[in-house]
């Protein structure tokens, strides 16, 4: 198993704000050896040789500049994600906000495809654990009476909590829909079923059967 190495660290500052920094260990180290270039250039005689060496130097400098720009872009994107998801970092998954690539791209004046590339296979270490940057982009679930939308990830966590705490009163998907509605979440039954299956939670029929088997085993 390969452990996840975070690309970005998020730490809380003394003033309560969040500090975002790159993990330097994950960055490629590329330097241009100017001394070697000067030494080789002294031996170049023909115009073609000199042109070739200049092209190589320009390519090397371009690579270093591109890597530096890439690092700056990662920090810029990660910082905006942290700004958008401040409540999650402070209070937990139930406060995760709906978020998409376009919102981040517009906020930092970058193309959506650039944000998509930057967030692919990148991980952020936070006080609440290590998360892939893509984790923070979740669909919006409408609120009852047109209130502020809920994050799909936050809704999934609420479904998991309801099932964990159901005790002997097994909750059907319809019951879960009704309870979520009381929490101000407007969600369809089929969406609840999809999220429940994604969480690997059996249906109410299967959970009831498992509960009966557990009770029978206890009586014996």
């Amino acid at each position: 198993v390969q452990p996840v190495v975070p690309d970005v660290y998020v730490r809380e500052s003394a003033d309560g704000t969040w500090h975002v920094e790159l993990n330097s260990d994950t960055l490629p180290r590329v330097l241009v050896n100017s001394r070697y270039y000067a030494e080789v250039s002294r031996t170049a005689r023909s115009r073609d040789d000199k042109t070739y060496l200049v092209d190589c130097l320009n390519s090397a400098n371009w690579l270093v500049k591109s890597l530096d720009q890439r690092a700056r872009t990662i920090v810029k994107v990660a910082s905006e994600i942290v700004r958008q998801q401040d409540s999650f970092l402070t209070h937990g998954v139930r406060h995760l906000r709906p978020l998409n690539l376009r919102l981040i791209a517009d906020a930092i004046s970058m193309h959506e495809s650039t944000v998509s590339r930057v967030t692919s296979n990148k991980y952020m270490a936070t006080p609440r654990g290590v998360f892939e940057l893509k984790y923070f982009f979740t669909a919006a679930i409408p609120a009852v009476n047109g209130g502020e939308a809920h994050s799909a990830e936050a809704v999934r966590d609420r479904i998991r909590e309801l099932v964990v705490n159901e005790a002997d009163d097994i909750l059907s998907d319809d019951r879960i829909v009704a309870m979520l509605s009381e929490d101000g979440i407007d969600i369809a039954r089929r969406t609840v079923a999809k999220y429940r299956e994604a969480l690997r939670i059996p249906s109410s029929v299967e959970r009831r059967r498992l509960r009966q088997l557990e009770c029978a085993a206890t009586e014996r």
Side-chain angles (χ1 to χ4, degrees):
V1 176
Q2 291 291 331
V4 170
V5 178
D7 301 273
V8 180
Y9 290 107
V10 178
R11 299 183 176 91
E12 188 173 7
S13 303
D15 60 359
T17 59
W18 299 105
H19 177 66
V20 180
E21 65 178 345
L22 282 175
N23 180 2
S24 59
D25 292 338
T26 65
L27 299 176
R29 291 178 173 81
V30 179
L31 298 174
V32 177
N33 192 332
S34 300
R35 181 180 299 177
Y36 181 71
Y37 169 77
E39 181 180 337
V40 174
S41 295
R42 285 196 296 269
T43 65
R45 296 289 181 265
S46 68
R47 175 179 293 182
D48 289 344
D49 289 345
K50 294 178 180 180
T51 300
Y52 171 74
L53 289 174
V54 170
D55 288 343
C56 288
L57 179 63
N58 289 338
S59 295
N61 286 328
W62 175 86
L63 178 59
V64 171
K65 184 178 179 180
S66 296
L67 291 172
D68 180 67
Q69 182 61 42
R70 174 176 172 271
R72 292 173 185 271
T73 301
I74 293 172
V75 171
K76 201 170 185 179
V77 170
S79 297
E80 182 59 24
I81 291 174
V82 168
R83 190 183 75 82
Q84 294 282 349
Q85 301 292 8
D86 173 74
S87 293
F88 162 78
L89 294 171
T90 304
H91 303 291
V93 65
R94 203 63 59 78
H95 296 267
L96 197 64
R97 294 180 56 195
L99 188 63
N100 55 46
L101 295 171
R102 176 170 293 181
L103 187 61
I104 295 294
D106 291 344
I108 61 177
S109 301
M110 286 187 177
H111 197 276
E112 193 173 332
S113 62
T114 302
V115 176
S116 179
R117 286 196 302 272
V118 166
T119 53
S120 295
N121 300 316
K122 298 289 188 303
Y123 292 84
M124 177 188 292
T126 76
R128 295 197 171 274
V130 178
F131 302 91
E132 188 176 7
L133 292 186
K134 293 287 188 183
Y135 170 83
F136 297 99
F137 297 92
T138 66
I141 303 297
V144 175
N145 299 324
E148 185 177 354
H150 302 267
S151 161
E153 188 65 31
V155 173
R156 277 192 286 267
D157 185 71
R158 177 62 176 144
I159 292 171
R160 179 195 59 76
E161 182 185 61
L162 288 172
V163 173
V164 167
N165 296 324
E166 66 186 356
D168 294 330
D169 185 15
I170 304 299
L171 301 175
S172 66
D173 290 345
D174 287 325
R175 282 280 307 282
I176 292 175
V177 168
M179 296 174 78
L180 291 176
S181 180
E182 292 175 1
D183 289 343
I185 302 169
D186 184 9
I187 189 170
R189 181 185 180 280
R190 64 179 178 276
T191 306
V192 167
K194 182 177 75 172
Y195 287 176
R196 175 178 53 72
E197 291 168 0
L199 292 167
R200 298 185 178 179
I201 296 174
S203 68
S204 58
V205 174
E206 293 172 323
R207 298 202 306 278
R208 189 172 290 108
R209 184 182 299 119
L210 288 171
R211 186 63 55 83
Q212 290 171 349
L213 290 173
E214 290 173 358
C215 291
T218 302
E219 290 175 357
R220 291 197 191 96

